Each structure stands twice: as C-alpha cells, then as structure tokens.
C-alpha cells in the first residue's frame, strides 16, 4: 500500500503508527488475565496438529465458551452474570489477541462516557461515528502494514463491538423519543428494544464484552442480553415462568454439531479447492487466475470457483453456529414465550440459515439468510434511518468491512442485482412461474441467483482490485 501513496503521506502515516505503538509497553501491563504458561502450552499444541498458533487460539477461544456457558447458566440472576460475562470476555480477548485487547477496552469506555454526557439526540450520531471511526482506522492500519494479509488482529472483534455500540446508542435515543411522545417512525419500529436510560456500567461491560459473541458475533440487542441475565425472558415479576421452560440441550448440541461438520468441510474442502495460492496467498496470483487454470473450459472454471467459495463459506458457518450453540446454553438465544405461554424459538443468536442460503432462488432470500444479525443492524439502524436507501445500506456494510476494492465491487453490485431481480419478478414471474418451488422456473431462478452472486462475491474474497477485475 505504501507504493501507491506519496512519500509525504507515507512519512506522516508511519509517524502516527509509531506514536500509537509507543503506548504498547503500557498496554502490555493490562494483559493480566492469561498466565504465560498457557500461551506456551497452546503454541506446542498448535505445532503438534499443524495449525498456526493464532488460528488455534482463536478456535480454542470459541470452544471454551461452551464450558463457560454452562457456568453462566448456573450463576444466579443479576449482576454476577454481568461481571462473569465481562471478565471472561476480557480473558478471551487477552488470550486470543493479546495486547490488542486494549482497543476494545478503550472504545468501550470512551463510548460509555459519551453516552453519559451527551443528550440522546446527539449520542445516537456521535457514538456510532466514533465506533465506526475506530473500526475504520483499524482496517486502514491493517491494510497499510499488511496489505492482503490474513493475520488475526483486533479488527474482527472491533467490528462486532461497533454494531453493539451503534445499536445501543439508537436504543437509548429511541427510548428518549418515545418517552417524550415523539412520532419518529423508525423509533416506533424499534420500540421493542428501546431503553429509557443508559445501562449501568456493570451491565454495559457485560454486554460489550459478552464472551459468547465476542469473537465471531452475532451482535444482538442489549435488551436481549440483559433479559437473559436477569431472567425476564423466562420469568415474570412474580417469579413464575411464562410457560414450560424448554431444555437447552438440543438448541446447544445441534449448532455445535453443525459447526464441527462445517469446520471439517472447510479444512478438507479448502485444501482441495483453494481460491488463493496456498504457498503464497498474499503475493502470488490466486489459483483461479493462474495460466493453467484459465486454459480450462469455462464450465470447469465456474464449477471450481463455486466449490472454492462454498468451502470458504464453511468457516463462517463454523464460527457462527459455534457461537449460536454457546449462546443458547445460558438461554441468551431463547426468544421467550408468546401470550399463550408457548416458546417462540431460539433465534436470538442464529446468524445464518445454511440451507436457505445455499438454495436461495432470489437475492432477497439469500441476503436474509446470511449474517442475519448484521442484516438486522443494517436494516434497523441504517436502512430505515436513511429513507430506505440501498446504496447507503450496502455502502455502510462495505465501509464496516474495510477498504479493499473487492468489498466495494461486491456490495455496490448487490443493488444492481436487486434492481434486476425486481424487474424479473414483475415481468417474468407472472408469465413463467409454475407455482412449484423446485419446478423448472424455480431451478432457473436458483441457478441465476447463485451464478450472479458467486460471480460478484469473487471480489469480496480476492480483495485486490487487479485480482477482482481479472476474475470478473
């Protein structure tokens, strides 16, 4: 990245980075929750199974949420749950990303001060802007020092935190608007999650450091988290349950089993169908752009790219399903009961519907099935707050992901696909739809949707403009 910037800009950026790095000795002193022998043990275990240490520790960080979740389930309701969530979240951060955990802490504390001192009508703009700016600077730093690199750093957890702070600021604003009798349409739509005041510091830290959705998400609303810690998603004020309390066993084991299958599929499939060059993914041409690959017939290239992208998706399925199971253990994933005392389901931490995504026959269904809680954040706090602008929504999504050209090539392609799909639905569906989901028309829709989306998503995975445009 240095090659495309003027010398003066490179000098200024380098000095700024050096200045931030000068605080590392101070920040290192805050890493007190992880004993040194634990890191040496994980290094040896990672080497023994052929994993790099950071990937092994990240994966281990996801799995230890299960025994921790069992402890969380058995703790009494109240502040003890919030404190446990905070301290174990801080432990996992220090274990996985080390000294970089300080970025999470600084962001959380600064945002809390802003929420306390600013009127809600200003906080709902300034807090999201601050959180997004911090996330953006993290992305830019990563791209500047390690362009196209895949090293693990704080930006992944920072992205989840940004969503939480963004939603929380609007929750407080919506509560203030509704308390004053306001008629804001968006606030009324989000009334279910509105807050009348800023949460206490213990509750706030428990939410922002919540260990089960810290590493991979999904980021859900503060009220969802808080109701699981005080039991109000299950019990009424009289202490009696709203209905028959469902078991957590199957809602925990099912996503855990799916996550294990997806992890195995990723490890095996990605090795068989790599999208990037396995020997040098950062610098060498991707596998799909090598000369010998381009000499193959187009149907073979398309099939290979489809399989490569499918197996890449498996790592997302693994992380999200793993987090879903860990969240369900302590009923944070439980949606509560309806008016008749019937369980509503376990959708609070469900971030992906795998089969719905893989067999979607239109972009709307496909988008709704993928990264659902991010779609919830974008829908409630970006889309409806910007007069239903798809460009603003997908632009924010790209901005939140980072600044690789491939992100923007993909996200700004989606509104075009959506526009074309709406025309097709209006003009073609009434004439050709035979009423069968998997009739000829349904199969054609599935093939067209997947072909277009997978074509565009190549840019998202290849990142670099040159690679993305060549692949297209």
């Amino acid at each position: 990245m240095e090659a495309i910037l003027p010398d003066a800009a490179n000098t200024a950026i380098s000095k700024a980075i050096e200045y931030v790095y000068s605080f590392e000795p101070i920040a290192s002193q805050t890493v007190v929750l992880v004993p040194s022998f634990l890191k040496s043990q994980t290094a040896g275990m990672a080497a023994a199974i052929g994993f790099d240490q950071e990937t092994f520790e990240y994966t281990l960080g996801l799995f230890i949420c299960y025994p921790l979740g069992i402890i969380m389930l058995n703790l009494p309701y109240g502040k003890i749950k919030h404190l446990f969530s905070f301290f174990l979240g801080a432990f996992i951060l220090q274990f996985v990303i080390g000294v970089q955990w300080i970025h999470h802490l600084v962001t959380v504390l600064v945002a809390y001060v802003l929420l306390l001192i600013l009127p809600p009508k200003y906080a709902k703009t300034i807090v999201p802007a601050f959180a997004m700016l911090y996330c953006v600077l993290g992305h830019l730093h990563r791209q500047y020092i390690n362009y196209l690199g895949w090293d693990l750093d704080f930006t992944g957890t920072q992205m989840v935190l940004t969503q939480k702070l963004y939603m929380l600021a609007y929750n407080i604003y919506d509560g203030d608007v509704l308390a004053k009798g306001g008629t804001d349409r968006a606030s009324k739509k989000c009334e279910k999650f509105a807050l009348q005041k800023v949460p206490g510091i213990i509750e706030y830290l428990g939410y922002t450091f919540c260990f089960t959705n810290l590493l991979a998400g999904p980021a859900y609303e503060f009220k969802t988290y808080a109701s699981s810690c005080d039991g109000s998603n299950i019990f009424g004020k009289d202490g009696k349950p709203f209905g028959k309390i469902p078991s957590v066993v199957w809602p925990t084991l099912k996503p855990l089993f799916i996550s294990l299958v997806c992890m195995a599929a990723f490890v095996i499939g990605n090795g068989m169908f790599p999208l990037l060059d396995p020997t040098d993914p950062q610098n060498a041409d991707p596998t799909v752009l090598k000369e010998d690959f381009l000499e193959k017939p187009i149907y073979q290239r398309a099939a290979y790219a489809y399989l490569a992208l499918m197996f890449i998706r498996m790592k997302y399925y693994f992380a999200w399903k793993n987090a879903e199971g860990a969240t369900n253990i302590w009923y944070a994933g439980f949606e509560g009961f309806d008016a008749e005392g019937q369980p509503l389901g376990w959708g609070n931490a469900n971030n992906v519907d795998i089969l719905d995504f893989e067999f979607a026959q239109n972009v709307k269904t496909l988008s709704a099935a993928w990264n659902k809680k991010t779609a919830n954040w974008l829908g409630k706090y970006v889309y409806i707050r910007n007069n239903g602008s798809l460009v603003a929504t997908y632009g924010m999504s790209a901005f939140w992901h980072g600044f690789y050209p491939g992100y923007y090539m993909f996200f700004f392609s989606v509104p075009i696909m959506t526009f074309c799909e709406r025309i097709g639905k209006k003009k073609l569906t009434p004439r050709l739809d035979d009423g069968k989901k998997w009739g000829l028309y349904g199969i054609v829709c599935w093939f067209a949707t997947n072909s277009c989306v997978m074509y565009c998503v190549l840019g998202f995975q290849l990142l670099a403009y040159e690679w993305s445009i060549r692949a297209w």
Side-chain angles (χ1 to χ4, degrees):
M1 197 169 177
E2 295 180 26
I4 64 174
L5 295 175
D7 290 341
N10 282 319
T11 300
I13 293 172
S14 297
K15 287 183 177 180
I17 291 174
E18 288 177 8
Y19 176 73
V20 173
Y21 284 3
S22 69
F23 291 95
E24 185 171 352
I26 299 174
S28 297
Q29 296 178 25
T30 66
V31 185
V32 296
L33 299 177
V34 181
S36 57
F37 75 86
L38 185 60
K39 300 291 283 187
S40 60
Q41 287 293 322
T42 57
M45 293 168 66
I49 61 176
F51 271 45
D52 61 271
Q53 186 175 357
E54 64 180 23
T55 300
F56 178 75
E57 289 176 348
Y58 180 87
T59 305
L60 190 59
L62 289 172
F63 280 114
I64 62 174
C65 290
Y66 281 81
L68 296 179
I70 294 174
I71 297 173
M72 184 77 161
L73 171 66
N74 289 283
L75 290 175
Y77 290 117
K79 293 189 183 298
I80 187 67
K81 282 186 181 284
H82 296 293
L83 287 170
F84 184 83
S85 178
F86 165 57
F87 280 111
L88 270 298
F91 166 79
I92 290 174
L93 274 181
Q94 292 185 12
F95 174 67
V96 175
I97 60 175
V99 70
Q100 294 188 59
W101 91 286
I102 199 67
H103 294 289
H104 197 98
L105 180 64
V106 168
T107 308
V108 164
L109 294 179
V110 171
Y112 192 68
V113 171
L114 292 173
L115 289 171
L116 288 175
I117 66 175
L118 293 174
K121 66 178 180 179
Y122 297 122
K124 59 101 173 176
T125 300
I126 294 174
V127 170
F130 164 71
M132 186 62 74
L133 177 61
Y134 206 114
C135 187
V136 161
L137 291 175
H139 285 314
L140 290 173
H141 167 262
R142 178 190 178 102
Q143 288 179 223
Y144 185 80
I145 66 168
N146 191 26
Y147 192 71
L148 298 178
W150 292 90
D151 293 345
L152 186 67
D153 68 356
F154 76 96
T155 52
T157 57
Q158 196 74 19
M159 291 168 71
V160 178
L161 177 61
T162 298
Q163 289 186 12
K164 289 184 178 182
L165 296 176
Y166 209 111
M167 292 189 293
L168 185 58
Y170 270 101
N171 294 156
I172 296 167
Y173 167 75
D174 291 340
D176 183 65
V177 168
L178 296 172
K180 294 176 180 177
T183 58
D184 186 285
R185 184 166 165 261
S187 295
K188 287 192 172 183
K189 279 192 173 184
C190 300
E191 183 175 5
K192 178 182 177 181
F193 302 107
L195 299 173
Q196 299 303 315
K197 61 180 182 178
V198 179
I201 185 64
I202 294 177
E203 292 79 4
Y204 173 78
L205 289 174
Y207 173 62
T208 52
F209 279 83
C210 182
F211 61 95
T212 53
N213 67 355
L214 186 69
L215 296 179
Y220 38 79
E221 308 275 359
F222 176 82
K223 273 195 170 181
T224 299
Y225 161 80
S227 66
S228 305
C229 290
D230 62 21
S232 59
N233 62 335
I234 298 176
F235 299 97
K237 293 181 179 179
D238 58 0
K240 297 180 180 179
F242 294 113
K244 183 179 178 180
I245 302 174
S247 169
V248 299
V249 175
W250 183 240
T252 297
L253 294 181
K254 180 182 177 181
L256 174 60
F257 175 73
I258 294 173
S259 76
L260 292 172
V261 171
C262 292
M263 180 175 69
F266 169 70
V267 172
I268 297 171
N270 193 55
M272 296 173 62
F273 299 94
L275 189 69
L276 302 176
D277 188 320
T279 59
D280 188 4
Q282 192 170 359
N283 300 298
D285 273 349
T287 302
V288 294
L289 295 178
K290 293 187 181 297
E291 290 185 11
D292 58 340
F293 181 84
L294 296 176
E295 292 174 356
K296 296 179 180 180
I298 188 170
Y299 67 87
Q300 288 188 19
R301 285 182 278 144
Y304 183 97
Y306 178 83
L307 290 171
L309 291 170
M310 182 185 71
F311 287 120
I312 287 174
R313 291 196 295 276
M314 292 297 162
K315 70 178 179 182
Y316 296 100
Y317 295 157
F318 155 67
W320 289 337
K321 284 298 178 182
N322 186 284
E324 180 183 342
T327 301
N328 289 346
I329 289 180
W330 54 287
Y331 286 99
F334 181 56
E335 297 175 84
F337 300 90
D338 62 18
E340 298 178 354
Q342 296 299 313
L344 291 172
W346 296 82
N348 286 340
N350 183 325
N351 206 31
V352 63
D353 293 323
I354 298 175
L355 294 180
D356 287 351
F357 181 86
E358 295 294 338
F359 296 102
Q361 296 179 350
N362 55 71
V363 176
K364 182 179 179 181
T365 301
L366 186 142
S367 299
W370 175 266
N371 206 352
K372 293 162 66 175
K373 299 309 174 185
T374 294
N376 172 76
W377 164 59
L378 291 169
K380 290 180 179 176
Y381 304 105
V382 180
Y383 182 76
I384 67 173
R385 313 280 175 163
N386 289 278
N387 300 315
S389 171
L390 284 175
V391 174
T393 304
Y394 285 111
M396 175 63 79
S397 184
F399 199 61
W400 174 72
H401 278 88
F403 294 92
Y404 285 113
Y407 292 150
Y408 294 84
M409 293 170 69
F410 169 69
F411 282 113
F412 285 117
S413 297
V414 177
I416 298 173
M417 287 188 288
T418 303
F419 178 74
C420 294
E421 180 182 278
R422 288 173 178 173
I423 295 175
K425 188 175 182 180
K426 182 178 180 180
K427 301 291 185 180
L428 298 179
T429 300
R431 293 176 172 83
L432 302 176
D433 190 7
D434 56 8
K436 300 177 182 178
K437 182 175 181 180
W438 289 106
L440 179 61
Y441 183 69
I443 293 173
V444 170
C445 287
W446 170 80
F447 180 79
T449 298
N450 275 266
S451 297
C452 291
V453 172
M454 295 312 133
Y455 172 83
C456 293
V457 86
L458 274 171
F460 187 94
Q461 291 297 330
L462 296 177
L463 302 179
Y465 174 79
E466 181 187 1
W467 288 352
S468 300
I469 205 69
R470 285 170 58 195
W472 279 14

